[in-house]
Every structure is written in structure tokens, then in C-alpha cells.
Amino acid sequence: MRNERGAYNQEMASRAGRSSRGAPAPDALLVIDAIPAIAWSSQPDGSVDLVNRRWLDYTGLSPEESYGWRWKAAVHEEDVAELLNAWGARDVQEGRECEVRLRRADGVFHWFLVRRAPLHDGTGAVVRWFGTGIHIEDSKQKELLRVAEKRALEMIADGASLSEVLKQLCAAIDEHAIAISLVMLMDRGGDQLLPFPGPHLPPEVTAAFTPWPIGPNMGSCGTAAFTRKRVIISDISKDPRWPHDDRGLAARRLVLDHGLRAAWSEPLISNGEVLGTFCIAYSQPRIPNGRDLELIEAAGHIARIAIERQRSQESLRSALETIRNSETRLRQVIDAIPTLAWCNLPDGPNEFLNKRWHEYTGLSHEQSNGWGWQVAFHPEDVPPLMEKWRQLLVSGEPGEMEARLRRHDGFYRWFLIRVEPFRDERGQLVRWYGTSTDIDALKQTQEKLREEEQELRRITDAIPQAIVVLDPSGAPVYANQATLDYTGLTAKDVVSPRFRERMFHPDDLERLRDERKAALGRGAPFEAELRARRKDGEYRWFLIRYNPFRNEQGQLTRWYATGTDIDDRVRAEERTRNENLALREQIDRDWMFEDIVGSSEALGKVLRQVSKVASSDSTVLILGETGTGKELIARAIHKRSKRADRAFIGVNCAAIPPSLIASELFGHERGAFTGATQRRLGRFESANGGTIFLDEVGDLPVEIQIALLRVLQEREIQRVGGNNSVPVDVRVLAATHRDLNALVAEGRFREDLLYRLNVVPIEVPPLRERVADIPLLVEYFIDRFGKRAGKKFRTIDRKSLKVFEAYGWPGNVRELQNVIERAVILSEGETFTVDESWLRRELPASPKRRGTLNGTLVKQEKEMIEAALAASQGRISGPSGAATRLGLLSRTLDSKIRRLKINVYRFKTPR
């Protein structure tokens, strides 16, 4: 337990451990506090109920401010949604790891790698989440600087302006440091700075510092440029290194009014010359730590490279412009520009190399003139370099090459060689002019990018999700290891012409061919659902998401396609469709009635039993004659159970042919029998999580009874033609009008299955025992069928009602329903009447025949039962009842009495 400050209290934890179920032991809490990372635990829904000491120390929050969902206050507002989306992902593995920014106690955000893992109970359900957060600010900063440097070099190589390069650099630094950055460049006079702001510096501040003088007390930038040292102003409002004239004071007020409180500046020095300064400003007073100093130093280094390259480009452009005016002046300029430059004759040999070229290579004019310059290049690069040079001589067109040039100390560095032809007024080629620009840093960056690309591929291969990279036309160029493992194909197969035909179902390719082609042409993200062939030949459904990748010019260069296995979801949708189909079939079926109608004591007894048994998951056996409403009682149990929001699947066991009932109940695999072209889910799987109602269960074949017994015992099924067991969570309700005890005695029903089904028996009374409910049922059915027929009856003929009450109703409520429907159709006027002759059922006379063995046995059985009833005075159950005398169950005897049409009341002694 923790005290008011969140510290761990062993005595309190010991007491809590005895009373709080699942609370960690005191020693475990000490260990959690000792973990060198933030740690927590949460409920299955994500609400936090425990945080460790490091969380409290880092965030400055109390335990009460951290529990529940209040922990989100420590997460950067831009990262909360991403974190919750990751934790809500369908794929649990996918949602266990995320990078977010957490606010430190002083208000500064740092990057953390957040991981969490579930704790499962015996059923596999998540009962708790445990998580850790590892500080990754340093690695994120290094990654940022590497990407920023790469981007700056790429922009320079692509010819972007210095302003664009510096603005891109400042934007990257601003996003990472949550600050505002800018670059101040020295003007030509060397005594003033000109601002090149990032995207977040207010224009008013930029205007106030255009230009800004340098000096010993000229703010962070002016002072850094003057002293050639880094300047840290932790609090702008108090620091004395600020000009005290009217402009300086106004500039300071403007900076403070725009929420800037601290500024750090790094001088940009190249070969002893101050190029300018790089400045980072923060909204709160603060002193930099080691990581902050590394950031500003690295950012200054990138800015310095950009400025140097830009100046080199500007110098080169200036030099080339001058070349057109004067040959002599050209050579002077070429010697002066800060790059390697040269001039060749029209047929190729060298005529002139500038001073910097000679200084760099250490070669004299005599050594490098003509074709002697080749010795300065790496031997491996000379053949391709000469081949390219010969092509340019033939074409007379500009060109560029890359080669390694040896420095005077013997070290080779990569150079980009650009060549431009110079023609006279007649268009005749008179000279070749070229420059050699050091791109070794860019090459190293490219090599690092290639290594990172290889690392990215290794990481991609480790991702347990299918990923395929495609060219702009949609042809695959790479597939990760998860894809290869699933399909059983090789990397060579991926780039083969028929890769898609080998991977996806032909029906799906045909179905989506035009749609995919059109989507690729639009260049926007899209997705499709296809069946992908596993290496064992089985097809599984996948959701393929296509995302385009574009370069800086907006050109589409790659498609990235990710495949997510949705086979379980598709099967669930199929199961839902089956449930809906079953529901539609049930709705379309001619129900006995939509609701339970009646108020008799016999019916009330049944409904009370329904209320008691509904909340449990026990198996219920519903007994009763045909037409009494057994399925209605089953639905009432389901609607009042904990499974009411899931499927209710009804199966009439007597209506399904014996050869198909196994497939109907338990499903079948593809190829299980002729016509089984694909896997089909059975009724038990469709009812998973809900209730299955087995009507006329007494008509099940013996072999299906065995399978049903296993379902009740093991809670699992096996599809026809399958070898694997499939777990199911289904409540079983069964019903029959047969005497199951008699069937057991005859060997037609398994006794052990009867025990499993007869956990809670409910007997639905016949309509003749619910005479009091007949008027209500009559009114109900008259209203129902009258609306359907467009008729309205104001009164019910009393004689007809008495006939109904006196009739025995062997067909029960279903027979009553049919009689009333017939009467509604045929009745005229506003009084409902029934022809009494409709209720007189006379069976056709059977041809007389001699007595048989079966008839003799039936007669003897009837005589024995009547004798037992006489001896027990009409009592069936109990110690002295007829059932005990005959050695039968009371239910079995009652069934025989009804079958033999024995009048029990004539054996009872009147009181």
C-alpha cells in the first residue's frame, strides 16, 4: 500500500493483501518499485489501479491522480488517441507496444516506449494488464538528427534553396524539442545577423530582429556570433546579456509577449569564419542538460553543412557566369571558388585544373595535365569513369558521374563530377567545364540508409503480419518473411509474373481485377478482402490494405500492402448470417402464438419454473404433448437468461433426415462427403455463446445421441470429416412429447443421455388441464387472425365458447389455433361462431382382425395397471402409489396411463 505521497507502506500492504482479492504481495510491490522503468497494472478495460514509485517521481502525480483514466493527463495530447487505438486493436500482439511522450514533473515531455502484457484466467480471458515504460528520448533524438541531416543533404542535392533547407531543419528540431528554432546568418559586412526563421517563429519577432547587430551583450545570437562561443540564456527576463537601448528593450518585451522565456545559441563557424548562429527558444525558463547540448550542437552542425554547400553552389554559379565573359577571369575565379573545378578540351584531355584541385590531390600541373589526372582516381572507378566520359564526348550533352578521388594524404573520398559543354556563337563545342563536389558524407548517409533499409527488412521480416511491397503498377517487388512462411513461396517467386495467381483464390482475382486496377490508377489508399492460399493448400480470408508511398515531388514510387488474417471474422459473419437465417426462418414459420397467453394455475407453475431456471446454464428438458408450446417455453428461458443477447437456434430433430442430421448439428469439413465443396458451420457453432433448442430430441438416431452426449460432457464438437475438436459454449434446451423412460427401456434412447438432459425437467400441461385459459386464448387468436383477414368481431358466441371448454383438445393449443383461424375465415357478421361438427373427429374404422401378440400384451399391461391403481385408490406416485407397486417411475406410469387411455379418477375413493 502507499501513503499520502504514494510511497510504499509494507504494513498497510500486508493488511490489504489479506482483504483484496488478487492484490500483489508486499514483496512484489517492492520489486515493482525497484524496476528501473515506470510500471503499472490496470483492469481489463484499461483503467489503472497500481503505479510504481518511478511513475510518481517522473510525472509528479499522486496515486489518486494516476488511477482510473486520470493517468492520461501525463500523456502528450497528440499521443493519447494513438495509444488508445493501439490498445484497442483487434490483434492483441499488435496493440502491446507504442511510443508516446510523457510529461515530466517539470512539464517537459520525453519519449517512452510503452509495453503491456495481459494476464489470463483459466478460460483465456484477460483479467489484468501489466505495463512498463522505457525512456527512449536519447534514441529518438539521434534518429531525428540522422533523418534531419539526410533530408538536408537530399534537399541540397535536389537544388533546394538555403531558406527551404534551413526551414525544414528548424521544423524537425521544433517538433522534437517542443520549441521554436531559427538560423541567423552573418551579412556580407560581418557585423549584423539576418534571421532565417523556422515555421513557428512569429513574423513580428522575425521583423524585430531584421537585422540584428553582434556584440558582447546582444542577446543569445548576437553574443554567440561575437564571442564565437555557445550562449545559454536560461531566463530572458532576467539575463543581463541584452541591449539596454530602446530597440533592445522593445525586442525583449516582444519576445516575452510571445511566450518565449529561454534562448540558447550555437555559433556556426567554418574555417575560422562565423557563418551565423543556430538558436532554440523555449516557452519556460530552463537550463540545458547534456542531451539538450548534444541536440543544439548537432543541429548547428547540420545548419553549417547546409550553409557551406549553399555558398559553394552560389560561388559555382557566380563562377560559371563569369566564365562566359572572360577566359582569364574564369581561371582566376575557378581558382578562387571553394570547390574543385577544371576545364577540358573538346576531345577530352585536360587543359586546366584549379588551385583547390591541385591542393586536394597533391598533384602538380604537369602530373595532372592531359590524361594524367586519371591517377588521382581510385583504380576501380577509372574504367566506368572513362566509359561515361567517352559517351559524353560523343553526345556533347551535359552529364554527371560519381567516383572516388584520392586526397594528398592517400585517403579516398567520393565526389560528384558535373560536366557542362561550352559552345561558341556558332554552336561549336570549344570547352568542357566541370566541378567535383565532395559527396562522401552523402554517400555515407546513403550507405547508412541502405543499412537501415536492410535493418527495416529484417524488422519487417520479424513482424507477424503479411507485408508486400509493389511498384507503381502494382507488381510485387518484395515480400516479408511472414508472407513467405504463410504461402511457402520464395523471394524469387515474389517477383515472378504469376505470384498473385499462386497466392490468391482465382475467383477473388477475377472478382477484384477491374476494381484493383482502377484503385491503383487513382493512387489513393484502398483495401480488398481476398482468400490467400496457405502452403498446405487451405485458403483463409485476408484483409489487404494498400497504401501509396510518394517521394518529395509527390510521385508515387511504391505501394505497401499489408495482409491481416480475418478468417475468424468472416466465419463469425457467416455464423451471424446463419443466425439471421435461422431467425428469419423462425419468423416466417407459423407460430402457435407469439406470446404466452393464460392465467391458470397450471401455466403459472410452469412460468415460475422458467423464472427460476433461466438464470442458470443448466440443461432443461421440456416435456409435453404435441402443440402445448414447448418451443415457446424454451424461448422464454433463453430471453430471461444471461445469453439473451446471443443467438437462439432451434432444431427440429424429427424433421431432418438421419443421413444429414450430423452435418446439420455439428457442421462438416470441405470434402467430407459428396457435395461438401467448402466448410460449413453446424447449428452448435452458430449458437456458440447462446442457446440451442433440440425439439423432438427423442427422435435422434442412436449414433447422434452419442455425439450429443459428448457435447454435454466435454463442451466440444467435431465436424463431420474433421479431426480436430472445436470448443463450444452453448446452453442446451431439449423437448419431446415422447416417454423417454419407455424409450430407454426399449433400448431406443441412451439412459446416460437422459440423465444429462433431465437436469431440470419442466412439464408443459395440455390444454385440457388449462380450461381457464381457453377464453383468453380464443380472444387472442380471434384478434390475431381477424387483423390478418381484415375482419373485426365484437362478440363471441357463448355456445361456441362452451363447446371449446368442454372439448378435450387432443391437438392442444395448435389445434385451437387452427380451428379459430378456420372460423375467422368462414364466419360472417360481427359475432364469432364455430361449427360444433368441426370438433368431432371420427377415425376411419379399422378392418377387423384377429388378436395379435402385441394386442394381448397391451391388454395384460392395462389390466395390471388398473389393478395397481385400484389397490392404491388412484394414487400414482408416493410410497404406496401404483408406480411403486409396479416398480416403475411415476412419469413412465403416467405416460402408459395416457397411452392406454385409463381413467384414473374412477379408482379414487370419494371423500
Side-chain angles (χ1 to χ4, degrees):
M1 300 295 290
R2 301 181 183 274
N3 57 24
E4 295 177 351
R5 295 292 300 162
Y8 176 72
N9 185 310
Q10 185 170 0
E11 181 180 354
M12 293 173 65
S14 299
R15 293 196 300 268
R18 293 190 296 268
S19 60
S20 177
R21 184 181 64 176
D27 291 343
L29 291 174
L30 288 173
V31 171
I32 292 173
D33 276 345
I35 293 174
I38 64 173
W40 73 90
S41 71
S42 66
Q43 297 295 327
D45 63 351
S47 59
V48 171
D49 56 9
L50 175 68
V51 293
N52 72 341
R53 173 85 268 169
R54 288 183 180 269
W55 166 275
L56 301 174
D57 293 342
Y58 179 85
T59 62
L61 300 177
S62 67
E64 291 74 20
E65 293 171 331
S66 304
Y67 293 159
W69 293 96
R70 293 185 290 276
W71 54 268
K72 292 193 291 185
V75 182
H76 196 285
E77 61 181 3
E78 296 177 1
D79 298 340
V80 172
E82 180 181 353
L83 178 60
L84 295 179
N85 288 339
W87 284 0
R90 182 181 295 271
D91 187 342
V92 175
Q93 295 292 339
E94 181 182 347
R96 288 186 178 181
E97 185 173 296
C98 189
E99 291 182 1
V100 299
R101 287 167 287 184
L102 297 181
R103 188 188 62 212
R104 204 166 57 192
D106 58 0
V108 177
F109 286 89
H110 280 190
W111 283 97
F112 279 75
L113 177 61
V114 177
R115 293 189 177 98
R116 68 169 189 168
L119 176 64
H120 300 279
D121 61 13
T123 65
V126 176
V127 297
R128 184 172 292 276
W129 288 96
F130 295 94
T132 60
I134 301 174
H135 189 273
I136 59 170
E137 182 70 14
D138 292 341
S139 61
K140 291 291 285 188
Q141 180 168 298
K142 292 177 182 177
E143 178 185 359
L144 161 78
L145 294 173
R146 184 167 62 252
V147 172
E149 182 177 6
K150 169 181 172 293
R151 178 61 181 144
L153 293 174
E154 289 176 343
M155 293 181 68
I156 293 171
D158 291 340
S161 67
L162 180 61
S163 175
E164 294 172 338
V165 174
L166 296 180
K167 180 173 288 188
Q168 177 69 26
L169 172 63
C170 291
I173 299 299
D174 291 357
E175 180 179 358
H176 173 75
I178 313 179
I180 296 178
S181 60
L182 76 155
V183 177
M184 303 280 281
L185 296 184
M186 190 72 73
D187 71 349
R188 295 183 180 276
D191 57 355
Q192 293 187 115
L193 296 171
L194 300 175
F196 281 72
H200 303 106
L201 187 69
E204 298 85 353
V205 177
T206 302
F209 284 85
T210 306
W212 188 254
I214 66 172
N217 294 298
M218 287 295 173
S220 62
C221 290
T223 306
F226 180 81
T227 61
R228 296 171 174 253
K229 297 180 180 179
R230 183 184 301 136
V231 173
I232 304 299
I233 295 182
S234 59
D235 191 341
I236 295 176
S237 64
K238 300 178 181 179
D239 197 282
R241 288 169 293 181
W242 203 269
H244 295 285
D245 57 8
D246 292 340
R247 184 189 178 193
L249 295 175
R252 186 200 291 237
R253 285 195 300 272
L254 181 63
V255 168
L256 294 173
D257 290 342
H258 280 83
L260 302 179
R261 295 293 183 270
W264 313 335
S265 294
E266 177 82 8
L268 308 178
I269 303 175
S270 175
N271 297 324
E273 178 187 359
V274 178
L275 305 179
T277 62
F278 182 87
C279 177
I280 301 180
Y282 292 88
S283 60
Q284 296 293 334
R286 58 178 294 187
I287 299 174
N289 54 31
R291 186 168 52 255
D292 295 330
L293 296 178
E294 291 177 1
L295 175 64
I296 190 172
E297 182 177 353
H301 172 71
I302 298 173
R304 183 169 59 252
I305 292 175
I307 297 169
E308 290 175 345
R309 296 294 172 85
Q310 183 69 17
R311 289 194 173 188
S312 296
Q313 295 290 337
E314 291 176 354
S315 299
L316 179 59
R317 285 194 294 271
S318 176
L320 291 175
E321 182 65 24
T322 307
I323 286 173
R324 298 186 179 92
N325 301 324
S326 171
E327 181 83 14
T328 303
R329 179 61 180 165
L330 172 64
R331 295 196 174 190
Q332 295 175 350
V333 171
I334 292 177
D335 277 339
I337 63 176
T339 190
L340 310 186
W342 42 268
C343 172
N344 282 13
L345 297 174
D347 58 348
N350 176 258
E351 180 186 21
F352 169 75
L353 293 161
N354 75 339
K355 183 179 179 181
R356 286 183 180 269
W357 198 95
H358 291 294
E359 290 175 348
Y360 182 87
T361 62
L363 297 177
S364 65
H365 175 73
E366 292 75 15
Q367 291 173 312
S368 53
N369 195 29
W371 297 99
W373 52 267
Q374 298 179 55
V375 300
F377 287 91
H378 196 286
E380 297 177 359
D381 297 340
V382 172
L385 180 65
M386 293 303 298
E387 177 63 26
K388 179 66 176 178
W389 182 223
R390 282 190 288 269
Q391 294 175 3
L392 294 177
L393 291 175
V394 173
S395 66
E397 297 294 328
E400 59 182 40
M401 301 158 278
E402 292 181 1
R404 286 165 288 182
L405 186 63
R406 186 186 63 208
R407 202 165 55 190
H408 58 83
D409 58 0
F411 187 84
Y412 286 92
R413 292 179 64 85
W414 281 98
F415 276 77
L416 173 65
I417 304 168
R418 287 195 174 98
V419 183
E420 286 282 346
F422 180 72
R423 303 179 184 275
D424 59 18
E425 295 78 5
R426 296 171 299 176
Q428 296 293 323
L429 181 64
V430 295
R431 290 287 189 279
W432 289 95
Y433 291 101
T435 60
S436 300
T437 306
D438 189 328
I439 60 169
D440 197 79
L442 180 60
K443 276 287 189 179
Q444 292 180 10
T445 301
Q446 292 174 344
E447 181 62 27
K448 185 179 297 183
L449 287 175
R450 280 191 291 269
E451 294 174 358
E452 291 175 353
E453 183 178 355
Q454 291 297 324
E455 178 65 21
L456 177 60
R457 288 202 174 193
R458 287 192 291 270
I459 294 173
T460 305
D461 285 341
I463 295 175
Q465 183 182 29
I467 300 174
V468 178
V469 183
L470 308 99
D471 66 15
S473 68
V477 296
Y478 164 75
N480 73 336
Q481 192 61 41
T483 304
L484 301 180
D485 291 342
Y486 178 87
T487 61
L489 302 176
T490 65
K492 185 177 180 180
D493 296 328
V494 173
V495 296
S496 65
R498 296 185 58 81
F499 170 70
R500 284 175 51 79
E501 285 77 4
R502 298 176 65 180
M503 182 173 180
F504 296 113
H505 197 285
D507 294 346
D508 297 337
L509 291 177
E510 182 65 27
R511 173 173 55 88
L512 297 172
R513 178 176 287 109
D514 294 338
E515 180 180 339
R516 178 177 182 271
K517 183 177 180 181
L520 290 172
R522 288 191 296 271
F526 67 99
E527 60 185 39
E529 293 184 3
L530 301 92
R531 286 166 289 182
R533 185 180 184 274
R534 202 163 57 188
K535 56 187 176 184
D536 61 0
E538 181 181 350
Y539 284 95
R540 291 181 64 84
W541 281 99
F542 275 74
L543 174 63
I544 312 297
R545 288 191 173 96
Y546 294 84
N547 285 288
F549 179 81
R550 302 179 184 276
N551 58 18
E552 291 79 7
Q553 290 75 36
Q555 298 171 332
L556 194 152
T557 59
R558 286 287 187 271
W559 283 96
Y560 288 89
T562 59
T564 304
D565 190 325
I566 59 170
D567 197 68
D568 292 339
R569 192 202 75 187
V570 173
R571 289 169 56 191
E573 290 174 350
E574 181 183 357
R575 183 164 58 248
T576 301
R577 284 194 296 271
N578 290 339
E579 293 173 2
N580 291 340
L581 177 61
L583 181 59
R584 286 195 298 269
E585 291 174 353
Q586 193 63 37
I587 292 173
D588 293 337
R589 191 182 305 157
D590 187 16
W591 284 73
M592 287 190 300
F593 39 79
E594 290 88 357
D595 204 353
I596 299 175
V597 178
S599 59
S600 64
E601 177 57 28
L603 180 61
K605 179 181 178 182
V606 172
L607 296 181
R608 287 192 294 272
Q609 288 179 289
V610 168
S611 299
K612 293 177 181 179
V613 77
S615 59
S616 72
D617 268 346
S618 299
T619 304
V620 179
L621 180 60
I622 305 172
L623 303 169
E625 298 177 6
T626 301
T628 54
K630 296 186 288 296
E631 183 170 354
L632 185 63
I633 296 300
R635 286 187 174 275
I637 294 173
H638 172 73
K639 289 180 181 179
R640 288 162 178 77
S641 71
K642 295 177 289 186
R643 301 170 181 264
D645 58 341
R646 302 303 297 270
F648 177 90
I649 303 296
V651 182
N652 190 325
C653 301
I656 304 174
S659 60
L660 298 179
I661 192 165
S663 172
E664 186 70 22
L665 290 178
F666 309 123
H668 62 255
E669 297 287 354
R670 177 183 177 185
F673 49 83
T674 303
T677 58
Q678 62 182 1
R679 174 187 292 173
R680 182 180 184 276
L681 302 183
R683 295 301 181 97
F684 270 94
E685 282 187 87
S686 298
N688 194 27
T691 304
I692 188 167
F693 173 58
L694 302 177
D695 198 6
E696 302 300 346
V697 71
D699 292 315
L700 283 176
V702 175
E703 60 273 14
I704 303 301
Q705 295 178 27
I706 297 173
L708 178 58
L709 181 62
R710 181 182 179 185
V711 174
L712 295 175
Q713 290 177 337
E714 307 296 337
R715 295 293 177 181
E716 61 184 22
I717 66 167
Q718 186 169 323
R719 301 189 189 99
V720 176
N723 297 321
N724 299 323
S725 296
V726 180
V728 291
D729 175 23
V730 178
R731 184 182 189 178
V732 178
L733 305 178
T736 183
H737 72 284
R738 294 178 177 272
D739 183 353
L740 295 184
N741 289 297
L743 294 178
V744 169
E746 297 171 4
R748 295 165 56 191
F749 200 84
R750 294 181 62 91
E751 187 174 14
D752 48 2
L753 177 58
L754 176 59
Y755 293 151
R756 284 287 182 180
L757 293 175
N758 199 27
V759 176
V760 180
I762 295 179
E763 185 167 357
V764 182
L767 185 57
R768 61 180 172 274
E769 296 180 9
R770 297 171 50 196
V771 176
D773 294 334
I774 290 178
L776 295 177
L777 287 167
V778 171
E779 291 182 4
Y780 174 80
F781 285 129
I782 289 174
D783 180 67
R784 174 185 174 185
F785 294 120
K787 289 179 180 178
R788 184 182 300 178
K791 296 183 178 182
K792 187 172 183 180
F793 298 96
R794 297 186 178 277
T795 59
I796 301 174
D797 181 56
R798 289 183 175 273
K799 181 180 178 182
S800 296
L801 190 58
K802 289 182 179 180
V803 169
F804 281 158
E805 292 175 343
Y807 184 57
W809 296 111
N812 292 293
V813 180
R814 185 179 293 119
E815 182 183 2
L816 175 63
Q817 173 188 350
N818 295 337
V819 170
I820 293 178
E821 183 178 9
R822 179 181 179 186
V824 167
I825 295 172
L826 299 179
S827 293
E828 297 179 356
E830 296 183 346
T831 301
F832 175 82
T833 59
V834 173
D835 188 342
E836 187 175 350
S837 64
W838 296 350
L839 304 181
R840 295 172 184 167
R841 299 192 309 165
E842 294 184 1
L843 296 177
S846 301
K848 294 183 179 181
R849 61 182 177 179
R850 296 180 180 179
T852 62
L853 177 61
N854 183 54
T856 304
L857 293 176
V858 170
K859 182 178 180 181
Q860 291 179 353
E861 184 181 28
K862 183 175 181 180
E863 291 174 352
M864 291 177 64
I865 293 174
E866 289 178 340
L869 288 172
S872 63
Q873 297 181 349
R875 186 178 182 84
I876 297 175
S877 59
S880 60
T884 303
R885 295 175 182 271
L886 294 171
L888 298 175
L889 295 174
S890 58
R891 185 177 305 282
T892 303
L893 178 58
D894 188 62
S895 175
K896 291 178 179 294
I897 291 172
R898 289 197 301 271
R899 178 164 54 84
L900 298 173
K901 298 181 181 180
I902 299 173
N903 186 0
V904 179
Y905 296 100
R906 66 190 180 89
F907 298 102
K908 292 186 178 182
T909 303
R911 297 180 179 179

